[in-house]
């Protein structure tokens, strides 16, 4: 299980400032000189703590990601396998709060994927993998039990997260200024939408989820 890296107060300040600048300007447009200036340290001090600019970037990404955890009440609801009508609104609420209260973390992850791609996947797997795996396992259990429609649980996990991130901007494009997803009303609207999509209609017969066929490996 990943833990929050233990860093000194000065390193904490450097990583906080670096995360802000990388999130706002991207990796290549952010200089170590600017990071040092904003953190109020000499640039050579920066390189006594970190070997390179790339190491600073990844330490900033990991430090932000390591603070993301599922709330205790949500973990309890998932562990108790409570019904989707209880769990999904809690999950969407936490996702919305994360996007609303930690926008720099979301942007930093986006920068990592845009500018590094595979390395970003490794970092996210380490820190976000346990969260997504917990959600996926819950969804899979309820899909197999017939309390949710037979959908791919991995795709569904991704779709839930991406909906929360994309909904506010898409709503503005389609309908103009709208209620922010971080507001209670926005979360309730998303919860109603997803529950209406995922819960089977009374009397509906559900087929089991399709089995993915793995193509044969070509012989060389």
């Amino acid at each position: 299980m990943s833990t929050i890296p233990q860093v000194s107060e000065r390193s904490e300040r450097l990583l906080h400032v670096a995360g802000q600048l990388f999130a706002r300007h991207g990796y290549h447009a952010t200089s170590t000189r600017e990071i040092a200036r904003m953190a109020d340290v000499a640039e050579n001090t920066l390189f006594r703590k970190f070997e390179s600019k790339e190491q600073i970037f990844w330490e900033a990404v990991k430090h932000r990601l390591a603070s993301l955890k599922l709330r205790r009440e949500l973990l309890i609801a998932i562990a108790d396998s409570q019904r989707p009508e209880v769990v999904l609104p809690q999950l969407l609420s936490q996702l919305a709060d994360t996007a609303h209260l930690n926008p720099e973390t979301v942007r930093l992850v986006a920068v990592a994927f845009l500018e590094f791609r595979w390395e970003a996947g490794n970092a996210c797997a380490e820190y976000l993998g346990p969260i997504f795996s917990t959600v996926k396992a819950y969804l899979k259990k309820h899909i197999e039990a017939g309390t949710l429609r037979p959908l791919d649980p991995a795709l569904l996990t991704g779709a839930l997260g991406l909906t929360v991130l994309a909904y506010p901007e898409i709503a503005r494009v389609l309908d103009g200024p709208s209620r922010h997803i971080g507001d209670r009303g926005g979360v309730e609207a998303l919860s109603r939408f997803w529950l209406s999509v995922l819960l089977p209609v009374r009397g509906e017969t559900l087929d089991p989820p399709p089995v993915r066929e793995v193509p044969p490996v070509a012989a060389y």
Side-chain angles (χ1 to χ4, degrees), residues 120-151:
N122 293 335
C124 286
E126 179 180 357
Y127 291 94
L128 299 182
I131 296 175
F132 292 143
S133 294
T134 298
V135 175
K136 177 188 170 185
Y138 169 83
L139 295 172
K140 183 173 184 290
K141 182 176 182 178
H142 280 270
I143 288 168
E144 292 175 345
T147 49
L148 289 176
R149 291 179 181 276
L151 301 170

Side-chain angles (χ1 to χ4, degrees), residues 90-100 132 157 160-161 164-165:
Q90 290 186 42
L91 174 62
L92 292 168
S93 177
Q94 176 162 358
L95 290 173
D97 286 346
T98 299
H100 180 55
F132 292 143
T157 301
L160 288 167
V164 172
L165 295 177

